[in-house]
Amino acid sequence: MKSYLKHIFYPLACLLFSLFLVFILFVSGFELACYGNPSYYRQEFQKYQVQEALLENRGESIPLSDLEKVMGETLRYLRGDRENLIIPVSVNGVEQNFYQEDEASHMADVRVLFTLSLTLRMMFFLSLLAIVFLLVILEHGRALAILGKGFLYCMAGFLAILLLFFLYASQNFDQAFTQFHLLFFSQGNWSFDPALSRMINIMPEEFFADTALRILMHYLFLLVFPFLFSFFFVKRAKGWGYPKEV
């Protein structure tokens, strides 16, 4: 029984614990990056001169404050805090709904993906607590050392994969961006012409590249904490009377 726990159940529990935690922190990092600082979008709009792009590509003048309102309400929509994307803005002095039908359709798909991620985060959090609870019952204080050591092993492989993906995406962002959309939005309603779409003018590809990097930075910041805790528990194992091998 002890051999089964040590060689099969504990490694599996550590792997699931690590995967659940990685997903939880990624979604949380995404939220922090996208929802934590509303002024970020104003800075990006000014950086990429989106008002000028709208005027050049569509002959439309929209106040910057209206574009900020669009972004804020869109973020609320994506997390399920509003029911639709009927967001009126001033276009050449005339009030119009910002989103067109095809744009709203794509954003509805994004909403499904994001709200699913939020639901999975809660499910994985509860599952993570269940794993910790079960290991504490089986091993008492040793559970923290077991999970800490398992997390560090799992993260060594995960960070290597993340580094490779980052290097690939930083050199081939266009291709990575396209592959991401083909994977998650296979219905094909994600490609837009700047002459026909307001949305792609205020959220160009460069904006998504900046935002992806911002999400990554927040994600790595959050990962620091479980790393520190894991090192602490593994290092303190002897002092707490844990055996060397767990």
Side-chain angles (χ1 to χ4, degrees):
M1 181 64 176
K2 288 184 178 180
S3 177
Y4 167 78
L5 289 175
K6 183 176 180 180
H7 297 292
I8 299 178
F9 177 71
Y10 288 169
L12 179 60
C14 288
L15 176 61
L16 291 176
F17 175 88
S18 301
L19 291 176
F20 291 158
L21 186 55
V22 161
F23 183 85
I24 290 167
L25 293 180
F26 176 76
V27 176
S28 300
F30 182 96
E31 273 194 306
L32 281 173
C34 296
Y35 289 85
N37 181 17
S39 65
Y40 166 73
Y41 299 101
R42 182 184 186 90
Q43 295 166 6
E44 289 290 295
F45 291 161
Q46 293 173 330
K47 178 180 178 180
Y48 293 113
Q49 301 179 319
V50 300
Q51 287 178 286
E52 290 81 354
L54 281 167
L55 194 59
E56 179 181 348
N57 293 324
R58 292 179 53 86
E60 295 179 337
S61 175
I62 302 177
L64 183 59
S65 59
D66 278 9
L67 297 180
E68 288 184 273
K69 180 181 74 172
V70 166
M71 205 68 217
E73 293 303 310
T74 300
L75 291 172
R76 290 185 61 235
Y77 170 79
L78 292 180
R79 72 191 312 173
D81 292 337
R82 63 172 291 157
E83 293 302 317
N84 58 60
L85 279 177
I86 301 175
I87 307 172
V89 294
S90 174
V91 181
N92 296 333
V94 179
E95 188 174 277
Q96 297 182 23
N97 181 33
F98 179 83
Y99 285 103
Q100 301 173 91
E101 185 177 348
D102 56 342
E103 297 168 330
S105 173
H106 175 59
M107 297 307 286
D109 294 336
V110 176
R111 172 186 165 116
V112 170
L113 182 63
F114 187 49
T115 53
L116 175 62
S117 298
L118 296 177
T119 301
L120 287 175
R121 180 176 65 175
M122 178 55 67
M123 293 173 59
F124 289 169
F125 177 71
L126 295 175
S127 300
L128 183 148
L129 291 180
I131 291 172
V132 174
F133 182 71
L134 181 58
L135 280 177
V136 167
I137 290 176
L138 293 172
E139 296 290 344
H140 303 289
R142 288 183 72 241
L144 299 177
I146 292 170
L147 289 173
K149 189 173 182 179
F151 178 80
L152 292 176
Y153 279 129
C154 291
M155 286 303 96
F158 173 74
L159 288 179
I161 295 172
L162 186 63
L163 177 61
L164 290 175
F165 177 77
F166 173 76
L167 292 174
Y168 168 75
S170 63
Q171 298 298 318
N172 305 277
F173 185 79
D174 289 352
Q175 191 171 355
F177 185 77
T178 299
Q179 290 173 343
F180 169 82
H181 282 80
L182 289 174
L183 177 62
F184 290 103
F185 308 107
S186 57
Q187 54 271 51
N189 62 342
W190 55 270
S191 182
F192 298 95
D193 183 346
L196 303 175
S197 168
R198 294 189 186 111
M199 183 178 72
I200 200 62
N201 279 284
I202 72 167
M203 291 182 277
E205 190 172 295
E206 295 82 1
F207 162 81
F208 286 107
D210 287 354
T211 304
L213 181 60
R214 179 179 173 86
I215 292 169
L216 177 62
M217 293 299 101
H218 281 76
Y219 181 41
L220 292 177
F221 172 76
L222 292 179
L223 276 176
V224 167
F225 296 98
F227 264 103
L228 292 177
F229 280 114
S230 296
F231 278 116
F232 174 79
F233 288 130
V234 171
K235 186 176 181 180
R236 290 286 182 172
K238 291 180 181 179
W240 291 348
Y242 298 149
K244 288 184 180 181
E245 296 299 328
V246 293

